[in-house]
């Protein structure tokens, strides 16, 4: 409706054409080793009726049958093959087993509307990615990583810590386990504590911090050791 104090009433109405297409989401999971988390994540994705999953286990034997709805014989080689996927998950992946052309394919896929989920792990971490694929990975990541901060394989973590959603994280769709606020809060209270996180130098200005250590809440998003962050990249997003 036009209000009496409006300067311009011509922008009160807009016509938008929306096309709704029901389709599946094609996901490519690349992992370095068959960890416990890997064996938890794969069945979880396979159970989702919308997800068409392809897996690539980097340490698998040559004659190993890769898991997923669509089994792979190799990783996509060019940009056209990468565009067949909607989401790529890099779970503690070994960057030395991913070529420059494949990183370019991932970047192009995300830039044109795809999603990239990067989960850091203790086998390889993210510092190796910055060392091997410096320019493109620095652009893709929503945080800045120290290329010299490699994982310490001999570290033991005895004391767990609590995590807390940031104010923006509490309202972000990714962090919603339920549309009901009370139920969502109840679900978050059931999550266990963490024993390890990947250090970051700082968060990029365009990124949204979703999760941080509870005792450092309000400080991490500024100084850069957040636990989860997301940023837009072209028409897609990187988490």
């Amino acid at each position: 409706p036009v209000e009496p104090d409006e300067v311009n009433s011509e922008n009160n109405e807009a016509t938008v054409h929306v096309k709704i297409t029901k389709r599946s989401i094609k996901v490519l999971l690349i992992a370095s080793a068959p960890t416990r988390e890997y064996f938890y994540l794969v069945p979880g994705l396979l159970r989702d009726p919308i997800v068409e999953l392809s897996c690539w286990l980097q340490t698998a034997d040559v004659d190993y049958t890769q898991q997923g709805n669509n089994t792979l014989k190799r990783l996509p080689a060019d940009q056209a093959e990468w565009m067949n996927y909607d989401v790529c998950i890099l779970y503690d992946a070994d960057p030395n087993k991913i070529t420059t052309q494949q990183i370019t394919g991932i970047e192009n896929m995300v830039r044109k509307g795809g999603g990239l989920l990067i989960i850091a792990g203790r086998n390889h971490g993210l510092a190796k990615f910055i060392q091997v694929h410096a320019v493109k990975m620095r652009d893709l990541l929503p945080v800045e990583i120290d290329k010299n901060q490699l994982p310490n394989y001999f570290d033991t973590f005895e004391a767990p810590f609590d995590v807390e959603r940031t104010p923006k994280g509490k309202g972000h769709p990714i962090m919603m386990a339920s549309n009901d606020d009370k139920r969502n809060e109840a679900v978050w209270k059931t999550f266990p504590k963490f024993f390890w996180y990947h250090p970051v130098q700082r968060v990029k200005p365009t990124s949204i911090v979703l999760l941080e250590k509870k005792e450092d809440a309000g400080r991490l998003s500024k100084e850069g050791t957040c636990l989860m962050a997301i940023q837009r990249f072209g028409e897609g997003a990187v988490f």
Side-chain angles (χ1 to χ4, degrees), residues 22 35 46 58 83 109 230 233-234:
K22 184 179 180 180
T35 60
L46 286 172
Q58 294 176 310
M83 290 304 297
M109 181 266 293
I230 189 171
F233 189 87

Side-chain angles (χ1 to χ4, degrees), residues 90 103 106-107 110 116-120 125-131 133-147 198-208 226 228-233 237-239:
L90 297 177
I103 291 292
I106 293 174
E107 179 198 40
V110 177
L116 175 60
L117 170 59
I118 303 175
I119 306 173
L126 295 178
K128 283 177 66 176
F129 260 108
I130 301 300
Q131 292 175 355
H133 304 290
V135 176
K136 293 189 181 300
M137 287 307 298
R138 284 191 187 278
D139 288 342
L140 284 165
L141 286 169
V143 294
E144 298 287 349
I145 300 295
D146 184 354
K147 67 177 182 179
H198 194 292
V200 303
Q201 295 302 105
R202 56 189 171 274
V203 180
K204 291 181 179 177
T206 56
S207 301
I208 299 174
C226 72
M228 291 183 181
I230 189 171
Q231 74 165 354
R232 301 295 301 181
F233 189 87
V238 181
F239 177 84

Side-chain angles (χ1 to χ4, degrees), residues 54-122:
S54 298
C55 297
W56 186 257
L57 194 58
Q58 294 176 310
T59 55
D61 294 333
V62 176
D63 57 349
Y64 174 75
T65 302
Q66 298 286 349
Q67 294 181 285
N69 306 108
N70 301 311
T71 57
L72 296 179
K73 298 295 183 183
R74 58 171 177 80
L75 285 177
D78 54 35
Q79 294 189 15
E81 292 183 355
W82 279 104
M83 290 304 297
N84 292 325
Y85 295 95
D86 302 297
V87 177
C88 177
I89 302 174
L90 297 177
Y91 174 61
D92 198 14
D94 184 353
N96 291 312
K97 295 184 178 180
I98 300 177
T99 66
T100 302
Q101 290 77 12
Q102 289 165 343
I103 291 292
T104 301
I106 293 174
E107 179 198 40
N108 183 67
M109 181 266 293
V110 177
R111 193 181 295 278
K112 294 186 177 181
L116 175 60
L117 170 59
I118 303 175
I119 306 173
R122 294 182 63 192

Side-chain angles (χ1 to χ4, degrees), residues 122 152-159 195:
R122 294 182 63 192
N152 187 340
Y153 302 102
F154 301 103
D155 269 357
T156 56
F157 303 92
E158 298 178 355
F195 280 86

Side-chain angles (χ1 to χ4, degrees), residues 5-25:
D5 59 344
E6 285 192 53
V7 176
N8 179 18
S9 62
E10 293 182 0
N11 59 0
N12 286 25
E13 182 178 326
T15 301
V16 180
H17 299 278
V18 179
K19 180 182 178 181
I20 300 174
T21 306
K22 184 179 180 180
R23 64 182 179 91
S24 60
I25 297 176

